[in-house]
Amino acid sequence: MQEVGHSYLDELNEIQRKAVVQTDGPIMVIAGPGSGKTRVLTYKIAHLINIGIAPWQILALTFTNKAAKEMKARIEKVVGPSARRVWAGTFHSLFARILRVEAHRIGYPNDFTIYDSDDSKSLINELIKSMDLDKKVYNAGAIRARISASKSNLITPKAYVQNEDMLNYDKMNRRPLTFKIYEKYVARCKRSGAMDFDDLLLQMFRLLYENPDGVKDKYQKQFSHVLVDEFQDTNFLQYEILKQFVNYEGSPHNVCIVGDDAQSIYSFRGATIENILQFETDYPNLSTFKLEQNYRSSQHIVDAANGVIGYNRRQIEKKIWTDKPGQDKIKIVKTISDNEEGRRVADMIIEQKHRHSLKNTDIAILYRTNAQSRVFEEFLRRQNILYRIYGGLSFYQRKEIKDLLAYLRLTLNPNDDEALKRIVNYPKRGIGATTVNKLLRISDDNQVSIWQSIPHVQLSKRATSLLAEFAAMIATFRKIMDEGKNAYDLAVTISKRAGLVSALKADNTMEGLGRLENLNALLDGMKDFVENDEVLDEENPLDKSLSAYLQSIALITDMDQDKEETDVVSLMSTHACKGLEFKSVFVVGMEENLFPSYMSLSSPDQIEEERRLFYVAITRAEEFLTITYSNSRYQHGQMRFNDPSRFLEELPPETVDSVVPLKQKQEFGQPKILGNFKPTGLKRLNKVKVDPQNFHPDDSSKIKAGMRVMHLKFGEGKVIDIDERFVATIAFDQVTVNPEKRIMLQYAKLQILE
DNA sequence: GGGGGCTATGGGGGG
DNA sequence: CATAGCCCCC
């Protein structure tokens, strides 16, 4: 071993170094938060290259594309540009890339479409309807989860109908025909030339397992070293694929998994900690390295994290420690409402920035559900603090974007039924539900795609000609594509000729303008794509085809975007924060029914997962950790009163500095009399100041500054000011905390008093 | 047969 | 509070 001269090894502690320089055989790295896991992975790959392994022989499976990209950049610093040839990416994106080359061997077109979860749900809903089932009982989301779980556990439709557990579970949930939907769903995807997210894994598995044309040997030979990051969040199927790559006669089993059972937070997606335990059984001669020194967080934060995670029963034994001193203790802040929570957090951010000279990028706000982001946005904007929201509705999920993408998808793969259904009548061209239903029926009878049914369907004269017109248009697009137009030019042509641009231009509202902007942004992105001359991906250099474009965006998530140049506060869900770190972290909404989520309360296992999620959230903090919870908040359009989260009590008292004293006086003038009464029992009445019988709101355009007005929830008040966006600032007499409310007149219900 | 407006219902995390 | 389905009208 030529360790001498590899200076990067000096940047590692003893255990990290051992994990890096051992290059042969199975390795398991258990890595606590902030323990230099990424450093180990990147240097390990760099080391492999240094000792003579070709970059393209290394398969590194990461959790996000961004993580892969960052890792590649760091490897490049050590070994140079050859790092770009490492196969680093997510399971989904790397397998999609392989399947683009190999899919024809297992009965899919290489230009297969990737169905996102909306496509899947739409298809499932169609099937539910065609089977005449009650769509309230047969909830598409639940069915999709069921299908996803089946695929993730390698349960085929055939196996499903023979699986007592699966069938009984469905019967219990009054959905005994789930197996039938699953069967139809699989057939439909197949004949549409489409793979859903789970298929990218499942079909990859099939490809290797069935091994047509000896394709498995090719990949086994190519990937001499396989590394998996965040192994605790892989599912059964992903592990089975991993074994397909690694296990064969005479294999050196050069597989390295890195993970932390305490940070497993994706079981809802089929991930299972069992994989870590199973790995030890499957590779008995493995070397295990435990990275227990935390370089990220101060003593108090590490102590708090250890304290919290100690409440979980089953874990791999380890003790995370730090030699960083503890400075500020954890602040817990109670607020009276979700609005107050937003205001306080914004205020505290300003204070921290001044006192500790933090930049915005040093700060993150983490919440359990994306819906909570709104109040924080509002108050950050009000305080002129720049921010960015990660996750939530991504750009590519917007309607106008999906519409154009559907045209592109259909042009590339006319059998893509979901794309066709989406745009056959958008913009409106007189092809309605009746026509589509006829098409669906005949497609089902003949087991072909909708596109293939078009010439055979019997319709009225009018419908026939309209449909023919549509088909001719798509055929024209295909012709243009085949003539070699690049993806950008094709998209520009399509957006004009299909009438997408004119449809959006006809909408003069703010939203309409925004949509048009988004459409143009997508086109700009495509232009970048075709004009890009920087080779980042050596395997398929500068493929500017439509197929390559669609694949490149199908698996992009909001998290993959490059960090902005601008100095922004980060807002994201606790799931999305995995792998990140910030000097100052605000974990907000720490309330029962929210964090832990009400969905998890009935099962101890799920509570433990929520606890791990809390563990992940608090261990993002380097120096300052602030936790907030609120007495009341709007949830699902209703005012709810939640108890403080049970996890707050699990924080060791000595790590917590100041529980900001409870304001005894409540905003609504009532003590909390709720006792065991659970939130659903609460009525909005608690909040109403005014008897609705005597409340007659006036036309809000009549509201002027200086007026006395009455508000249903806040009572009487005086209008102080109305700004140019028609937001009124009103001081309410009976509101003790934060009496000045900002009310959007557009939506306001106010009665003029004088 | 298709389009537009209204009512009812459901609402977690994400590749 | 947002979306989907339903009903009514063209």
Side-chain angles (χ1 to χ4, degrees), chain A residues 1 41 67 103 153 347 514 654 680:
Chain A
M1 202 144 323
L41 263 172
N153 287 295
D347 288 349
E654 64 276 14
T680 42

Side-chain angles (χ1 to χ4, degrees), chain A residues 179-196:
Chain A
F179 76 93
K180 196 76 198 164
I181 301 172
Y182 181 22
E183 187 188 308
K184 282 171 179 267
Y185 174 85
V186 168
R188 271 295 286 277
C189 288
K190 187 79 191 288
R191 79 175 192 231
S192 295
M195 297 194 197
D196 64 17

Side-chain angles (χ1 to χ4, degrees), chain A residues 304-305 308 311 330 332 614 618 627 647-653 655-656:
Chain A
V308 167
Y311 283 83
I330 299 165
I332 299 182
F614 183 50
I618 61 181
I627 299 175
F647 299 144
L648 293 175
E649 293 164 28
E650 298 172 1
L651 292 164
T655 65
V656 177

